Amino acid sequence: MSPERYARIRRLLSLRQPSLTVCLEQLYKPHNASAIVRSCDAVGVHKVHAVVSEDVESPQSASGLRKSAILKATAMGSEHWVETQVHTSIDSAVETLKQQDMQVLVTNLSPAAVDFREVDYTQPTAILLGQEKLGVSAQAKALADKEIIIPMVGMVQSLNVSVAAALILYEAQRQRQLAGMYNKPLLDEASCQRTLFAGGFPNLKKICDRKGLTYPYVNSEGVIEADDTWWQELQYGN
Ligand code: SAM
């Protein structure tokens, strides 16, 4: 890749916030998931979590449509920049987030929920967002540390889920910027390397994914450093 592109990717990686994420529970509309991934990229979220288990009622007739919402979304353009971790249950998703010492905030349209602007997002934080029609599950509410709400004073009961995500993410971004959290790189080098390869060499990344090849090292000039075996596997392997 060109030195300019390498520098641009390095710059975005230096602003990533590995301790801020969202978890999408059973979203079934790819354009919503896609819009949320774009907002995540815009505020520096590096990884999105998604729960895609099959056991929740969906307005979609074909379960495959629902299951692949996040995968379709990430295929719409942001996948080089924002990683996705898929979970098969809300329990395993929340367990993963809590293992990373994240406070888990569940968005819920309840009088008991606190105004989303009253939360400290400089703490490691995961924002749990619910399905377009049904909202978050009872189990998600039970597992979360706190319920948050975006105040609504009009006729409609709720916002579109991607709009809700963007509002909360930008409040988190505002607080983190004030706290100086965008002033020094926070993302580990292994994650940076994955994004440098995925974003700098998208066509090679596709081949690697298809063939199950490990991603190579990208040096400080934006050039791939890999041995002959790797190149041969890339060109001729199945
Ligand atoms: N009837 C559903 C309910 O009661 O939760 C509405 C779901 S809403 C359309 C889809 C998702 O958007 C919610 O699960 C939540 O994540 C988010 N959302 C929408 N409006 C919100 C608000 N005012 N406060 C917090 N989250 C909201």
Side-chain angles (χ1 to χ4, degrees):
M1 81 182 102
S2 71
E4 292 76 21
R5 188 162 175 82
Y6 178 82
R8 192 165 169 212
I9 299 174
R10 271 289 177 194
R11 168 149 174 81
L12 88 84
L13 291 170
S14 75
L15 299 170
R16 284 308 202 218
Q17 303 287 303
S19 64
L20 178 66
T21 190
V22 301
C23 180
L24 312 180
E25 192 187 22
Q26 311 285 0
L27 262 64
Y28 64 91
K29 292 186 177 172
H31 65 267
N32 282 337
S34 175
I36 293 170
V37 172
R38 281 179 77 158
S39 297
C40 284
D41 176 53
V43 303
V45 168
H46 189 67
K47 185 187 277 187
V48 167
H49 295 259
V51 179
V52 295
S53 66
E54 300 271 9
D55 55 0
V56 171
E57 278 285 310
S58 165
Q60 294 286 355
S61 54
S63 63
L65 268 180
R66 173 167 56 89
K67 184 162 187 170
S68 61
I70 184 66
L71 304 176
K72 279 186 183 165
T74 53
M76 287 178 187
S78 305
E79 86 277 18
H80 307 318
W81 315 115
V82 179
E83 294 185 354
T84 306
Q85 185 168 351
V86 171
H87 304 269
T88 52
S89 72
I90 187 66
D91 298 70
S92 71
V94 173
E95 191 184 337
T96 301
L97 298 166
K98 289 200 170 172
Q99 274 168 1
Q100 293 166 30
D101 291 328
M102 296 211 176
Q103 58 172 341
V104 178
L105 307 176
V106 65
T107 51
N108 189 28
L109 301 153
S110 145
V114 301
D115 186 316
F116 78 110
R117 294 161 295 195
E118 289 169 16
V119 173
D120 179 4
Y121 297 95
T122 63
Q123 300 305 309
T125 300
I127 302 152
L128 225 161
L129 295 144
Q131 198 228 44
E132 291 87 343
K133 194 174 173 195
L134 303 173
V136 288
S137 65
Q139 181 68 349
K141 285 180 246 177
L143 294 171
D145 298 306
K146 196 176 278 185
E147 295 186 10
I148 58 170
I149 187 167
I150 303 163
M152 306 283 296
V153 296
M155 280 294 280
V156 291
Q157 201 203 5
S158 64
L159 297 165
N160 171 279
V161 63
S162 67
V163 174
L167 288 170
I168 299 166
L169 284 169
Y170 268 92
E171 172 61 14
Q173 193 266 357
R174 186 189 70 81
Q175 291 186 15
R176 284 173 169 244
Q177 196 154 36
L178 281 174
M181 294 175 77
Y182 288 86
N183 296 347
K184 64 173 187 323
L186 298 169
L187 192 64
D188 63 279
E189 181 57 19
S191 300
C192 291
Q193 278 293 327
R194 279 198 303 277
T195 304
L196 281 166
F197 179 65
F201 304 91
N203 293 333
L204 297 187
K205 177 205 177 268
K206 273 187 203 146
I207 301 173
C208 272
D209 288 348
R210 185 161 43 80
K211 295 187 173 182
L213 284 178
T214 53
Y215 292 174
Y217 178 74
V218 179
N219 71 20
S220 59
E221 277 150 24
V223 174
I224 290 173
E225 284 184 8
D227 58 21
D228 290 347
T229 313
W230 185 86
W231 285 109
Q232 277 164 10
E233 282 287 326
L234 188 81
Q235 281 179 289
Y236 308 115
N238 291 319

